[in-house]
């Protein structure tokens, strides 16, 4: 009996000890969980603070992280080829340690187009507006969303972002042509890019024209180098990647000799719209001509002047003072000199925006001509081939026209050459040698050419801008046929005017008719002034003809063809 009582006491003691250990263990586990949760909350708070360092927009860090873990990255693109593709991403991330973008896969991820390995042939898209340049390609690495558990906590950027490459931010022409205008119209193309944050991934510093990029959005742009300051993993909650190329008009000679693009899709109207917006953002105003132009009295009251770009380091006009005097005397106008090296960009634009004529040596500064008023004259000067009127600089660095680094025979060939052949980008020594020379302008011949050119200058200030409204389809096209003899037939085609014509004033209206015998490869074209016409020449009995009709405004504004008619004689 005593042994049993002792055993019972030992069992109770062991039970109490076990319960005590369990309670202590539970308390310790709960404490550790609370500590872990507190640490997670503290980390989330820290990451939220880091996210807010990037943007003032509020973000719920826990919700954003959960969305990334559950749904991964999503991508939907427009465009069929890498050269015309722009992609929208949800939760595209950037690893500053690897210097790579990361696409996180989950069961809810979307990737359209899903190209597989074709995404690397050669790239998903171009990051800049310069087409198919191998330094401008964009792609990303792929990881499962589960890998986030083993990676640094991401910093989220709550702003809508536009991710792109600047092509050459040190050169003003490249800044406008390659970056600003394409970015402006890309932001217009996608409504949620209004006031987006721009992210520049090419790796350059700010450069001398960074203030111009700031004009595109109220949000401070981010440079690639700055991304690492916000953490090792940065995730953009909503981003667009790539730029529209529709506004570019020049190609730089990477594949074929440099020159204007063969198929330009932009007109002066779109460039003027961009210039007007940029001037507003720089607080620059000018008196816009009303439709119909100004009267001669108003024109006389307005201070008309000529602007001459003055350069201080390269491509100098050696007789600049004499040229200024000759221009003032010839045109009876004040001549104003401007210099981007000595004046601020807005003050330069303010002067140019009211000029009647802009004259400059060839160079990037001529991109400012897009701020000229409608009808102004642009004169671009190139170095000439008269040795007595030129000063070359063979001893300068290669990128300023120097040729001293070349073999002696090559130097002598270039010195003896007169014409620069068409060339590829970007280090053609013959081109650089000539384009960087200083020039003595032959003033008499220059004025003669300028006066001759001015004779053909349209008086845009006194007339309405030419209409670019195209006609619509002709309405109710129909055909009637009749057989005259076994060898003769007639085909009558009639139609109604395009619907939009009744709202337009058109100087000249004509119609184009194509007639093709069924089964043949050629057609007979006709330009007609009236809405119906009877054709008999080359019309055969018992034959089927295909007929197309369209309208033409003012000689060159073509409308679409109406649906094809099938006419049986």
């Amino acid at each position: 009996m005593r042994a049993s009582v002792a055993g019972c006491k030992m069992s109770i003691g062991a039970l109490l000890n076990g319960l005590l250990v369990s309670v202590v263990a539970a308390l310790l586990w709960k404490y550790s969980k609370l500590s872990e949760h507190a640490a997670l909350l503290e980390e989330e708070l820290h990451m939220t603070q880091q996210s807010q360092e990037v943007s003032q927009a509020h973000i719920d860090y826990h919700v954003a992280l959960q969305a990334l873990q559950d749904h991964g990255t999503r991508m939907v693109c427009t465009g069929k080829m890498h050269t015309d593709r722009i992609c929208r991403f949800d939760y595209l991330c950037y690893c500053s340690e690897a210097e790579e973008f990361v696409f996180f896969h989950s069961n809810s991820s979307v990737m359209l187009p899903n190209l597989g390995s074709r995404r690397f042939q050669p790239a998903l898209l171009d990051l800049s507006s310069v087409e198919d340049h191998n330094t401008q390609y964009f792609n990303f690495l792929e990881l499962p969303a589960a890998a986030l558990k083993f990676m640094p906590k991401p910093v989220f950027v709550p702003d809508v972002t536009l991710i792109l490459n600047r092509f050459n931010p040190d050169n003003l022409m490249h800044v406008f042509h390659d970056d600003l205008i394409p970015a402006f119209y890309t932001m217009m193309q996608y409504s949620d890019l209004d006031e987006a944050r721009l992210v520049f991934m090419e790796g350059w510093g700010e450069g001398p024209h960074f203030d111009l990029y700031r004009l595109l959005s109220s949000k401070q742009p981010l440079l690639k180098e700055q991304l690492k300051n916000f953490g090792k993993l940065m995730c953009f909650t909503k981003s667009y990647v790539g730029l529209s190329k529709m506004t570019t008009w020049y190609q730089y000679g990477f594949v074929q000799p440099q020159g204007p693009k063969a198929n330009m899709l932009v007109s002066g109207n779109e460039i003027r719209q961009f210039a007007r917006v940029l001037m507003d953002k720089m607080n620059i105003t000018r008196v816009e001509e009303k439709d119909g132009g100004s009267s001669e009295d108003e024109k006389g009251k307005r201070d008309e002047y000529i602007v001459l770009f003055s350069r201080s380091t390269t491509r100098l006009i050696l007789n600049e003072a004499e040229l200024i005097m000759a221009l003032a005397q010839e045109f009876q106008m004040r001549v104003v000199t401007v210099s981007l090296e000595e004046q601020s960009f807005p003050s330069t634009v303010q002067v140019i925006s009211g000029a009647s004529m802009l004259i400059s040596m060839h160079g990037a500064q001529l991109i400012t001509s897009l701020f000229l008023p409608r009808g102004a004259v642009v004169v671009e000067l190139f170095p000439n081939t008269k040795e007595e009127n030129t000063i070359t600089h063979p001893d300068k660095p290669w990128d300023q026209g120097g040729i001293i680094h070349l073999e002696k025979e090559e130097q002598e060939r270039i010195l003896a050459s007169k014409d620069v052949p068409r060339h590829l980008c970007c280090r053609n020594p013959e081109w650089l040698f000539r384009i960087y020379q200083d020039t003595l302008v032959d003033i008499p011949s220059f004025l003669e050419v300028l006066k001759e050119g001015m004779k053909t200058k349209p008086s845009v200030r006194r007339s309405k801008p030419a209409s670019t409204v195209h006609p619509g389809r002709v309405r109710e096209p129909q055909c009637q046929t009749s057989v005259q003899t076994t060898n003769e037939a007639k085909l009558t085609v009639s139609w109604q005017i395009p619907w939009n014509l009744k709202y337009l004033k058109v100087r000249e209206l004509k119609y184009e008719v194509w007639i093709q015998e069924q089964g043949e490869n050629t057609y007979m074209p006709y330009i007609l002034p009236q809405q119906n016409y009877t054709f008999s020449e080359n019309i055969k009995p018992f034959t089927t003809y295909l007929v197309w009709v369209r309208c033409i405004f003012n000689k060159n504004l073509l409308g679409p063809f109406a649906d094809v008619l099938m006419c049986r004689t």
Side-chain angles (χ1 to χ4, degrees):
M1 184 69 181
R2 289 177 181 173
S4 297
V5 171
C8 184
K9 287 181 178 179
M10 288 180 64
S11 296
I12 292 172
L15 178 63
L16 291 172
N17 284 336
L19 288 171
L20 181 61
V21 169
S22 297
V23 169
V24 171
L27 289 171
L28 288 173
W29 180 84
K30 189 172 184 180
Y31 175 77
S32 69
K33 287 297 181 183
L34 287 171
S35 298
E36 183 180 335
H37 184 63
L40 285 172
L41 288 175
E42 185 178 351
E43 185 178 28
E44 283 189 10
L45 180 61
H46 175 66
M47 301 309 291
T48 301
Q49 289 172 340
Q50 280 194 295
S51 295
Q52 288 175 342
E53 287 179 18
V54 183
S55 169
Q56 295 302 310
H58 173 73
I59 187 168
D60 186 322
Y61 184 84
H62 178 72
V63 171
L65 181 60
Q66 196 68 43
L68 176 60
Q69 292 171 336
D70 292 347
H71 304 299
T73 306
R74 297 182 175 192
M75 177 191 85
V76 178
C77 304
T78 59
K80 293 184 178 180
M81 304 292 292
H82 72 280
T83 52
D84 66 352
R85 191 172 287 140
I86 296 176
C87 295
R88 175 194 155 155
F89 290 86
D90 292 333
Y91 293 101
L92 175 67
C93 298
Y94 178 75
C95 177
S96 57
E97 191 174 42
E99 296 191 345
E100 295 277 6
F101 284 94
V102 184
F103 186 107
F104 286 102
H105 282 277
S106 78
N107 291 334
S108 301
S109 290
V110 174
M111 186 186 288
L112 285 176
N114 198 328
L115 298 172
S117 60
R118 287 176 294 159
R119 182 162 59 84
F120 310 109
Q121 300 172 2
L124 177 65
L125 56 83
D126 293 335
L127 264 180
S128 91
S129 69
V130 177
E131 186 169 313
D132 202 24
H133 193 289
N134 60 8
T135 65
Q136 309 298 312
Y137 291 158
F138 170 84
N139 244 313
F140 49 74
L141 301 180
E142 298 173 77
L143 283 175
L148 285 161
K149 297 177 182 178
F150 311 103
M151 300 180 72
K153 290 289 185 182
V155 173
F156 290 99
V157 181
D159 301 315
V160 179
T161 55
L162 177 59
I163 299 171
L164 65 135
N165 275 2
R166 298 173 297 166
F167 189 69
N168 183 1
D170 284 351
N171 181 286
L172 191 63
M173 187 272 180
H174 286 285
V175 167
F176 275 89
H177 179 269
D178 307 340
D179 305 338
L180 294 180
I181 301 176
F184 174 80
Y185 279 105
T186 302
M187 295 169 79
M188 186 179 289
Q189 185 176 348
Y190 301 97
S191 59
D192 50 352
L193 278 176
D194 183 44
E195 291 300 318
R197 188 181 299 277
L198 276 65
V199 181
F200 303 136
M201 295 304 301
E202 78 290 327
W204 290 62
E206 286 190 356
H209 308 295
F210 202 65
D211 283 344
L212 294 176
Y213 294 96
R214 289 190 176 102
L215 296 174
L216 293 178
S217 172
S218 60
K219 296 181 174 68
Q220 173 72 7
L222 287 175
L223 301 174
K224 179 181 180 181
E225 187 64 25
Q226 294 172 321
L227 300 186
K228 63 181 66 173
N229 298 334
F230 302 107
K232 293 184 178 179
L233 187 63
M234 196 172 194
C235 295
F236 302 93
T237 54
K238 183 186 289 186
S239 60
Y240 289 80
V241 182
L243 283 179
S244 168
K245 298 179 176 68
M246 287 190 291
T247 60
T248 58
W249 62 84
Y250 198 83
Q251 57 85 19
Y252 301 121
F254 297 115
V255 177
Q256 57 186 5
Q258 63 176 287
K261 290 175 69 173
N263 183 26
M264 284 185 275
L265 302 176
V266 65
S267 74
N269 179 62
E270 288 74 41
I271 301 302
R272 279 190 292 272
Q273 297 294 335
F274 164 80
R276 187 176 295 117
V277 171
L278 220 63
M279 288 175 66
D280 288 343
K281 289 178 179 288
M282 290 188 287
N283 296 317
I284 297 171
T285 57
R286 67 173 172 219
V287 178
E288 294 284 348
E289 291 79 22
K290 296 180 180 179
D291 285 348
S294 303
S295 68
E296 287 299 318
D297 291 340
E298 291 171 335
K299 184 177 176 182
K301 293 174 184 177
R302 189 165 53 244
D303 178 24
E304 294 206 69
Y305 56 90
I306 298 169
V307 171
L308 176 69
F309 258 112
S310 182
R311 298 176 64 108
S312 60
T313 54
T314 60
R315 305 178 193 170
L316 305 180
I317 298 176
L318 298 173
N319 55 341
E320 185 176 294
E322 292 89 336
L323 179 60
I324 290 171
M325 293 290 290
L327 287 166
Q329 184 175 356
E330 179 65 37
F331 294 99
Q332 294 297 296
M333 288 187 197
R334 185 164 56 98
V335 180
V336 180
T337 60
V338 293
S339 170
L340 289 174
E341 294 134 323
E342 298 175 3
Q343 295 166 245
S344 70
F345 187 79
S347 66
T348 302
V349 171
Q350 180 72 73
V351 175
I352 289 173
S353 67
S356 300
M357 186 185 301
L358 176 64
I359 301 173
S360 173
M361 287 298 295
H362 168 78
Q365 71 279 356
L366 271 168
I367 194 66
T368 58
S369 62
L370 61 86
F371 296 104
L372 283 166
R374 187 189 294 270
V377 174
V378 181
V379 182
E380 183 176 13
L381 301 175
F382 285 88
N384 58 58
T385 56
K386 294 183 179 179
E387 292 296 331
E388 64 272 19
N389 287 350
T390 65
I391 294 180
T392 57
H393 303 282
D395 297 329
K396 283 193 173 184
W398 71 269
D399 58 350
Q400 295 178 26
I403 57 174
I404 197 71
H405 62 289
L406 301 174
E407 296 290 337
K408 187 175 181 180
E409 292 78 8
E410 181 67 0
Q411 292 182 45
E412 291 174 351
R413 187 191 67 79
I414 291 174
L415 288 168
S417 68
K418 297 294 183 184
D419 297 320
V420 177
R422 297 192 71 195
H423 56 280
L424 296 176
C425 186
C426 295
R427 300 181 58 153
N428 183 281
E430 200 163 356
W431 158 257
L432 293 169
F433 177 70
R434 291 299 177 191
I435 204 63
Y436 275 102
Q437 71 186 35
D438 301 329
T439 301
L440 190 73
V441 176
D442 184 342
I443 292 176
S445 66
F446 169 70
L447 292 178
E448 193 63 34
V449 170
L450 187 54
K451 286 189 293 184
E452 192 63 30
M454 294 288 284
K455 290 179 182 177
T456 59
K457 173 182 174 288
S459 181
V460 180
R461 291 178 183 269
R462 299 183 58 190
S463 61
K464 292 183 179 180
S467 172
T468 56
V469 177
H470 288 257
R473 292 172 182 264
V474 299
R475 295 174 301 142
E476 302 175 23
Q478 53 186 310
C479 60
Q480 293 180 332
T481 62
S482 62
V483 176
Q484 307 302 114
T485 67
T486 55
N487 296 321
E488 295 180 10
K490 291 184 178 181
L491 169 61
T492 300
V493 182
S494 61
W495 55 89
Q496 298 299 314
I497 65 171
W499 175 81
N500 63 337
L501 181 58
K502 60 184 177 181
Y503 299 103
L504 299 172
K505 291 182 179 180
V506 180
R507 294 194 310 270
E508 185 178 4
L509 175 65
K510 290 191 176 181
Y511 298 93
E512 184 174 13
V513 178
W514 291 4
I515 300 177
Q516 181 183 58
E517 184 178 335
Q518 190 174 40
E520 296 295 325
N521 294 323
T522 59
Y523 60 87
M524 297 174 289
Y526 300 88
I527 301 295
L528 305 172
Q530 66 266 38
Q531 289 169 239
N532 59 76
Y533 192 83
T534 299
F535 302 89
S536 57
E537 186 178 357
N538 297 321
I539 302 298
K540 298 182 291 188
F542 316 111
T543 305
T544 299
Y545 291 95
L546 307 179
V547 180
W548 294 265
V549 184
R550 67 176 171 184
C551 185
I552 305 174
F553 287 174
N554 303 333
K555 295 184 179 180
N556 60 356
L557 296 174
L558 303 177
F561 280 109
D563 293 338
V564 61
L565 299 173
M566 295 192 68
C567 310
R568 175 75 177 175
T569 59

